[in-house]
Each structure stands twice: as structure tokens, then as C-alpha cells.
Amino acid sequence: MEPLRAVRGMNDVLPGETPSWQRLEAAFSRMAGLHGFCEVRTPYVEPTALFARAIGETTDVVEKEMYSFVHHDDALTLRPEGTAGAARAYIEHKVHDREPVTRWWYIGPMFRAERPARGRYRQFFQAGMEIFGDPGPACDAELIDMLMGFLGTIGVREAEVLLNSLGEGESRARYRDALRAFLLPHQDALSVDSRRRLDTNPLRILDSKSEQDQEIVKTAPTILEHLSDADRAHFDGLRRLLDGLGTPYRVEPRLVRGLDYYTRTLFEIQGAKDKLGAQAALLGGGRYDGMIESLGGPATPAIGFAAGIERLLVAADPPAVKRVVDVLVCPLGQAALSKGLELGRELRRSGTATEVECRGASMKSMLRRANALGASIAVVVGDAELSAGIVQMKELAAHSQQAVPRDQIVALVARRVAELGGAS
Ligand code: HAM
């Protein structure tokens, strides 16, 4: 029978890789805690209408990439990103009534039916943060500065911040008209999607994936030329703060990113272009000052970002960690098995990561397994030795063996594991 395979674009993370994931997630939650963020966990499934309203009907994500289904009479969608769900939860639980500024972080799987490629999957993990209630630009600068520091600590080198401002309503309306006027004479050369969006959402044409569209928009007017005084002051303020912090960035006036909710500050951090190619956006984020109100909450400024964990791992390229346990207990013969299980239990209670070889294997194969597990010590429990009240402790790297009284083995192993730099 043909074995079944995972869904295309959805990956298994095997135990060889999970330590790197765990370390990255721990580093992220540590950084979040240091900056006053609390973890939020929202459902993986939300009403389809939430994403249509928050992300925008005419975005690629909503038009083409959502895993949507109807269950009984409910139109539901596997979340393609975390911001809409966080905003819904913020409003639903009236968090705005309890605190003037809310800082949330999350890590979890997101789902988009995109064409799979290196760094682009259909189930992928995002680590993100959202700040509600702070209009910036100081917290915008703090967020970007924090992210550059974080990328450094996880080993991502040559990361680059791309920065833009999308302005608010008035600036956007002016820019929309200017962009449309620029694109109209080119409409026959635009892709089918972009021609359609000329009327509905011309900004989306700026981040069209079609090469011919990209060629045309290269010379398009930029939004920075159309910012209102207030939007310009916000953007200049952000730039001054970043300059003051010594955080480098490149202004990219045609950066729009694929979600309609952004206002004012917009940023992307790229890295590992040699390995990720077109998927070099390690993370993206920005302000979405209109979303909370548009979803039925009180007018509340907001900013956030999300990083793709798979991309961060490619960029950071963390070394593999093999160690699984410190000690393998090797019972010699069936009769010693229950004594071996007992010793295993005691070792773990003392904090030593221990596995007991339960299969009744030969000495040679047990020692081979101890090495494969990355154990530093094997404790051999044999019937004859036990009746004499001893066990054999083998240190694998040194190829040494010593007889140890049974009542001293737990403390001795714990000490030797610590001296050898064990995992537990
Ligand atoms: P996004 O730019 O759509 O923004 O995604 C953020 C990051 O998620 C990307 O930079 C990338 O690292 C990763 N990512 C996106 N799609 C994929 C994929 N198909 N495969 C692998 N990784 C992917 C958002 O999702 C916004 N919610 C960010 C945000 C939070 N803005 C404000 N708050």
C-alpha cells in the first residue's frame, strides 16, 4: 500500500530539529518578558469574516490563500496570521477598559495556501507581538531596535531593516489617486489581478508577485511624497528615534506588504538572502491604527510584527544538539530489569536525565545505544553484582569502569554528570 504523506507545504519537525525550535522559542519569550509583553493564545480557527474585515477582501491572503470551510452553518478559516485574532480577543474581552497599553506576544502555526518553496510553507510558525493603545512613534522605534538585538542574539547576521510609512486616511487617499493615475496608461501591460485591483486596491499592485507588474511599479510615485503633516511628523519622529538608538534602517518608499490593515509605520527585516532568496523577509510588521475600531472596538492605535520561525532558523543556522539523556541504565538479563527500572526512577528523581534499556539487549548493543543517545554514563545492573550490593558505572568518553555501591550510585552519577556538563 502507498504510504500516506504529509499535506504538501506542511512539515514535520523531527526530534533532531526540535531543540533548535525550543531554544528559539525560549529566546523569544525571554525577550518578550524583558519588554513587558504577556503571552496570549487565541484559537487556530476564527470566523472567516474576521480575516476578510481585518486583512482586506482584495488581498492575496484573503482572495487566494485562506483555508476556509463551512461547518454546519459557520464559515470558518484556519488563521493565516495572528494579528486579527489578537485584535478580536482584545475587543471581545474589553481589555481596553482595564489597561491603557496592552503588550501581547504569541507563537503558533499559521496557514496559507501559498505555492511551497524554501522558506514558504502552507503551515508555518510565527512568533509575533502586538501593542495596543500606544500611538508611537517611540514604541515603534523600541520594537524595531528590540528586533535587531534579538536577531543578533540568535545568530542572524547581516539583517537589514526596510522602513516606510503608509500614512493614514487622507495621505492614503491622495496617494491612491496618484498611483492610479500613474498606472492607468500601463493598464494593458498589468497582470490580470493588478488590472482588477486598479480600481479596488491599487496599493496592492506595488507588492504584486508578477515580474511585469514589478517592472512597471519601479518608477511609480511613492507614498512618502504624499504624507500629511501629521504622518510626516510621525515618520520623521520614528527615524530620529532610531538614529538616536543607533539602529540602522533603509527607507524603502515602495514597501507595502500584503495586508491592507497597515497605517503609518511599516517595516520588514530581511536576512540570509543567499539561503532564502525571494523569501528573505524574516519578519514584517507595522502600525494598524484603524483595525480595532473597524472590528467594533474603541479607536485604539496598534502596532505589531510577526517573524517566520522557519525562516529565522534558516538564517540563524543553529548548531544541532544531539544529547537526549545523560545516563543509560543497562540491566544485564531479565532478572535485573526491575532493579534497573527502580534505579532509573531514582536517578530521575535526583534530576539526572535517564533512560533504561528495557529490551534485554547484549552489553555491546546497550553501550552502542548509550553512545548514540549522547549519554555520558552507562550504569550496568547485573544480577551477580546486585547481590553483592554494587553496580558498574561506565564513563563512555573515558572508556573507564568502576564498581560503585548501589546506595552511592545516584549521588555519584549526579556529580559526575554535572562535572561532565550534562543536559539535565
Ligand atoms: P506577514 O508579513 O504576512 O505579516 O508575515 C510575517 C512573517 O511570517 C513573514 O515575514 C515571514 O517570515 C512569515 N511568513 C509569512 N508567510 C509565510 C509562509 N507561507 N511560509 C513561511 N513563513 C511565512 C503578518 O502575518 C502580520 N500579522 C504581522 C503583523 C503583526 N503586523 C502587525 N502585527
Side-chain angles (χ1 to χ4, degrees):
M1 205 202 306
E2 265 294 291
L4 292 169
R5 301 179 64 93
V7 176
R8 201 162 105 82
M10 302 203 181
N11 301 312
D12 299 308
V13 180
L14 295 176
E17 303 159 82
T18 44
S20 304
W21 282 68
Q22 287 166 346
R23 276 200 309 268
L24 182 64
E25 288 164 5
F28 189 81
S29 78
R30 199 163 49 243
M31 171 190 70
L34 281 172
H35 289 79
F37 287 78
C38 299
E39 186 183 2
V40 67
R41 298 186 186 192
T42 60
Y44 295 179
V45 177
E46 296 273 4
T48 302
L50 172 67
F51 300 115
R53 269 163 74 181
I55 298 175
E57 298 270 10
T58 51
T59 56
D60 274 359
V61 172
V62 171
E63 277 185 349
K64 303 178 194 166
E65 297 170 358
M66 296 210 300
Y67 285 98
S68 298
F69 55 98
V70 175
H71 182 253
H72 298 305
D73 285 334
D74 296 329
L76 304 172
T77 292
L78 292 182
R79 62 181 188 187
E81 56 106 57
T83 309
R88 182 211 34 78
Y90 176 81
I91 299 164
E92 185 168 335
H93 301 285
K94 296 193 169 51
V95 182
H96 42 81
D97 283 352
R98 293 196 296 277
E99 48 193 42
V101 177
T102 296
R103 293 182 158 217
W104 281 353
W105 68 272
Y106 52 86
I107 292 180
M110 307 294 161
F111 304 86
R112 294 184 196 175
E114 293 196 76
R115 193 168 47 80
R118 182 160 173 78
R120 187 171 61 218
Y121 309 107
R122 292 181 167 176
Q123 176 184 282
F124 56 98
F125 284 72
Q126 282 187 343
M129 291 183 178
E130 314 292 348
I131 304 176
F132 301 107
D134 190 331
C139 74
D140 311 24
E142 187 188 45
L143 213 52
I144 293 169
D145 179 57
M146 172 196 77
L147 286 166
M148 286 304 273
F150 174 68
L151 293 175
T153 61
I154 63 168
V156 176
R157 273 164 295 276
E158 291 167 26
E160 188 185 25
V161 178
L162 275 49
L163 190 66
N164 195 16
S165 172
L166 291 184
E168 290 196 304
E170 182 203 330
S171 315
R172 277 277 263 289
R174 269 208 307 268
Y175 179 55
R176 220 181 121 101
D177 291 346
L179 186 60
R180 199 165 169 274
F182 167 85
L183 289 169
L184 264 177
H186 301 281
Q187 63 175 321
D188 293 340
L190 288 171
S191 67
V192 179
D193 272 350
S194 292
R195 221 172 300 150
R196 188 166 46 82
R197 287 173 179 166
L198 206 48
D199 287 319
T200 55
N201 198 350
L203 255 75
R204 288 275 67 83
I205 301 174
L206 292 182
D207 64 348
S208 158
K209 287 164 193 152
S210 138
E211 272 176 29
Q212 75 205 59
D213 292 352
Q214 281 170 13
E215 205 45 48
I216 293 168
V217 301
K218 263 187 192 157
T219 52
T222 72
I223 185 135
L224 292 182
E225 300 151 19
H226 294 82
L227 290 184
S228 67
D229 290 348
D231 289 339
R232 158 80 43 205
H234 192 278
F235 190 52
D236 289 347
L238 169 59
R239 295 188 57 179
R240 264 196 310 278
L241 288 159
L242 286 172
D243 292 341
L245 287 165
T247 303
Y249 57 87
R250 175 159 62 86
V251 174
E252 185 57 62
R254 291 189 186 84
L255 182 71
V256 282
R257 308 198 51 74
L259 311 161
D260 272 355
Y261 50 64
Y262 290 122
T263 53
R264 294 192 164 173
T265 307
L266 183 74
F267 61 92
E268 174 172 310
I269 300 185
Q270 298 189 344
K273 286 189 190 154
D274 50 333
K275 291 185 246 171
L276 286 164
Q279 272 66 250
L282 303 178
L283 61 90
R287 267 199 174 273
Y288 46 101
D289 291 341
M291 188 196 290
I292 299 294
E293 195 173 15
S294 78
L295 293 178
T300 307
I303 184 168
F305 75 88
I309 294 197
E310 293 86 350
R311 294 187 193 182
L312 289 182
L313 286 170
V314 170
D317 199 11
V321 179
K322 205 176 98 185
R323 184 183 291 277
V324 178
V325 293
D326 296 311
V327 175
L328 182 68
V329 173
C330 304
L332 265 185
Q334 281 301 314
L337 196 50
S338 79
K339 298 290 178 201
L341 291 173
E342 219 170 78
L343 176 57
R345 190 172 62 186
E346 278 178 48
L347 285 164
R348 292 178 198 116
R349 280 183 184 161
S350 80
T352 304
T354 303
E355 198 175 320
V356 179
E357 177 52 83
C358 293
R359 299 169 307 166
S362 72
M363 192 65 223
K364 194 169 153 208
S365 89
M366 287 196 283
L367 290 181
R368 203 180 311 124
R369 177 118 194 286
N371 276 311
L373 287 174
S376 51
I377 290 174
V379 180
V380 182
V381 181
D383 289 338
E385 281 106 334
L386 273 176
S387 50
I390 57 162
V391 293
Q392 298 290 338
M393 181 173 94
K394 285 177 181 290
E395 293 197 16
L396 296 164
H399 300 286
S400 66
Q401 173 164 332
Q402 89 186 82
V404 180
R406 170 66 179 83
D407 57 2
Q408 292 173 23
I409 187 68
V410 174
L412 180 60
V413 165
R415 199 172 70 236
R416 286 302 292 146
V417 164
E419 285 164 2
L420 294 166
S424 49

